[in-house]
Amino acid sequence: MPRLGAKVCLLRCTLLSSLLLLLLCSIHETEQNSYCQQIITEKHLAELEELADTQMQHPGRVSFKFIDKMQLNDSICYVKAAFPLLGKILERTEFKENSSNAKKMQMVRRMYNRIDENVDPCIREEDDEERKLSQMCFEEFTTSPYEMLVLVKQFFQDINQLLQNQETFEKDCSQVYRQSCPGPRAGASPEQRRKEPLAREGRQEPLVYITVASVVAVLLAMGGLLFYKYKSRVLQRPLEDGGCDPEEPERRALRGAAGSPELETQDL
């Protein structure tokens, strides 16, 4: 009986420990979700819209790397892949020091950093394979400053929507990147990527030479045939236009000479 009591006590302690651990994890997850849901507010989005509106008449163009949301067609993977690129856009976007636009941009940068600065980031960082594959989705965009800031605002709206739905961003997006992005083959080194176009060009050169030689041969054959037909017609034309025999005038002259004495004999 004492041994049985000890086992029961051990079982109770194990169950209590497991329940306590689950409770702590649940509390931590709740706190994490609450933290992430409060980062992006309507005020932030309104300030971003005002910031974009101030650039509507700006005549310049800006270039930056980002991801085509429609091409990727997966909101979670779109946010995971484009989130690091958004940070680079925010770093490069500058306004006159101490101006209202500069203060608004500083607020946007702080909001961006808060998403990542927690012990458990609100958007889980991509692993090495995902990072390599997501780079195939990068595209060069050239837009007006207004269009770029509108894109930034829409991206924050997408993040906020997913965070409000308690998205953990734990999804493995490797397969999505493979299927949706037409970039170079995953895992290929920069040296291999440089060699692949050269190899394709090397395979295409013999085909070009063969094609050119074939076209030249066909043109020569057609030219020879046309020349032969032309020569034949030239040789046949005197027979058709001047009589059937080129020696006919000479025979006529001989007949004329033979007929002259007969006329003279009759006169006598």
Side-chain angles (χ1 to χ4, degrees):
M1 290 297 293
R3 290 181 181 178
L4 183 59
K7 290 181 179 180
V8 171
C9 182
L10 180 61
L11 180 60
R12 287 178 179 176
C13 290
T14 303
L15 289 173
L16 286 173
S17 299
S18 299
L19 290 173
L20 181 60
L21 181 62
L22 288 173
L23 181 61
L24 290 174
C25 289
S26 178
I27 293 173
H28 174 73
E29 184 177 353
T30 302
E31 291 178 348
Q32 172 74 1
N33 290 333
S34 178
Y35 169 82
C36 294
Q37 290 171 351
Q38 295 175 8
I39 293 177
I40 304 174
T41 65
E42 290 299 323
K43 180 181 178 182
H44 291 138
L45 297 175
E47 298 241 353
L48 260 174
E49 185 171 357
E50 292 176 6
L51 191 61
D53 289 343
T54 63
Q55 302 301 305
M56 287 187 68
Q57 304 301 323
H58 197 289
R61 307 288 287 178
V62 291
S63 296
F64 55 94
K65 284 186 178 180
F66 212 64
I67 291 175
D68 186 349
K69 180 180 179 181
M70 299 301 294
Q71 179 184 4
L72 203 55
N73 199 28
D74 186 298
S75 58
I76 296 173
C77 296
Y78 166 66
V79 168
K80 287 182 66 174
F83 187 74
L85 298 176
L86 177 65
K88 295 180 180 180
I89 293 175
L90 298 179
E91 288 175 6
R92 291 175 51 193
T93 306
E94 297 288 346
F95 294 95
K96 185 178 179 180
E97 189 175 0
N98 294 326
S99 66
S100 60
N101 283 347
K103 293 176 182 178
K104 290 175 183 176
M105 180 53 64
Q106 190 61 33
M107 177 272 300
V108 173
R109 292 194 189 101
R110 285 197 299 267
M111 177 176 60
Y112 174 84
N113 291 330
R114 284 188 62 197
I115 295 174
D116 235 8
E117 69 183 3
N118 199 30
V119 177
D120 294 326
C122 298
I123 300 177
R124 187 181 69 82
E125 188 178 0
E126 295 177 311
D127 59 31
D128 292 339
E129 182 182 12
E130 283 181 302
R131 191 176 299 108
K132 288 180 181 179
L133 292 170
S134 67
Q135 290 176 3
M136 299 191 305
C137 307
F138 293 178
E139 294 184 18
E140 190 76 17
F141 286 71
T142 300
T143 69
S144 67
Y146 168 76
E147 291 170 323
M148 182 189 71
L149 291 171
V150 169
L151 181 63
V152 170
K153 180 200 170 188
Q154 291 173 344
F155 187 74
F156 275 114
Q157 285 178 323
D158 292 335
I159 296 175
N160 190 45
Q161 183 63 45
L162 291 170
L163 292 178
Q164 297 302 321
N165 294 337
Q166 300 184 2
E167 175 57 51
T168 61
F169 294 94
E170 294 180 356
K171 177 179 179 178
D172 185 353
C173 293
S174 301
Q175 193 61 29
V176 175
Y177 298 147
R178 285 193 187 96
Q179 293 176 350
S180 303
C181 300
R185 179 171 49 84
S189 65
E191 185 65 23
Q192 289 172 327
R193 293 175 187 173
R194 284 193 294 269
K195 288 180 179 179
E196 285 177 358
L198 295 176
R200 286 195 296 269
E201 291 176 5
R203 289 192 296 267
Q204 290 174 357
E205 285 181 359
L207 295 176
V208 172
Y209 295 147
I210 292 171
T211 303
V212 171
S214 301
V215 171
V216 171
V218 170
L219 290 175
L220 288 173
M222 291 178 65
L225 181 61
L226 292 173
F227 179 78
Y228 173 78
K229 288 184 176 181
Y230 172 77
K231 193 68 175 177
S232 299
R233 290 177 181 175
V234 169
L235 293 175
Q236 291 175 359
R237 190 172 299 162
L239 298 177
E240 295 171 354
D241 297 340
C244 296
D245 191 347
E247 297 180 356
E248 182 66 24
E250 185 177 351
R251 285 199 293 269
R252 288 180 181 177
L254 291 174
R255 285 199 300 270
S260 296
E262 296 178 357
L263 292 173
E264 291 176 359
T265 302
Q266 291 175 359
D267 292 338
L268 293 173

